[in-house]
Amino acid sequence: QVQLVESGGGSVQAGGSLRLSCAASGRFFEINAMAWYRQAPGKQRELVATITSGGSTNYADSVKGRFTISRDNTKNTVYLQMNSLKPEDTAVYYCNAGVISPYPYRYLEVWGQGTLVTVSS
């Protein structure tokens, strides 16, 4: 089936930067919107940013001006550039994609396994 594999997480000091990547592999007809979510300890998973297949983006208020989502459709990959990181950005970050399967072209929602981002003060 379809898999999303994330990379790029790690530990960084406040004010630093990290870039997350998420590559889709497997059999699919096309990938629609892609997104990044995050889940901090003891909190619910929240939407961070989304990007359509055409490149339109949307961000959570908490990351506007600091994070940038982008995608390379030729590589079936979505990125999240995170700048000016704060301790409150510490979370497990998950990649999400809306995928159309090969015939009969069913819509599937696919999640990555998550990558940990830790920001120290």
Side-chain angles (χ1 to χ4, degrees):
Q1 299 297 339
V2 181
Q3 287 188 321
L4 298 178
V5 179
E6 298 125 336
S7 60
S11 297
V12 65
Q13 288 192 327
S17 299
L18 283 174
R19 189 192 194 207
L20 306 182
S21 299
C22 171
S25 63
R27 296 183 67 245
F28 50 85
F29 178 69
E30 69 178 14
I31 301 175
N32 289 348
M34 303 184 81
W36 288 96
Y37 287 75
R38 67 185 181 187
Q39 187 167 17
K43 295 188 176 181
Q44 289 189 330
R45 191 173 297 189
E46 64 175 357
L47 179 64
V48 176
T50 63
I51 186 167
T52 67
S53 57
S56 296
T57 59
N58 197 19
Y59 297 91
D61 288 343
S62 58
V63 306
K64 280 181 182 176
R66 300 188 299 122
F67 291 10
T68 302
I69 188 170
S70 61
R71 65 191 284 173
D72 184 338
N73 291 332
T74 65
K75 297 180 180 179
N76 298 316
T77 299
V78 63
Y79 306 96
L80 187 67
Q81 177 66 45
M82 305 184 293
N83 299 328
S84 302
L85 282 161
K86 305 175 181 179
E88 51 264 43
D89 294 318
T90 295
V92 177
Y93 284 72
Y94 296 90
C95 178
N96 171 274
V99 177
I100 305 298
S101 72
Y103 183 85
Y105 308 119
R106 290 196 177 102
Y107 177 85
L108 306 171
E109 186 175 25
V110 185
W111 290 88
Q113 80 285 355
T115 185
L116 178 63
V117 172
T118 303
V119 184
S120 57
S121 57

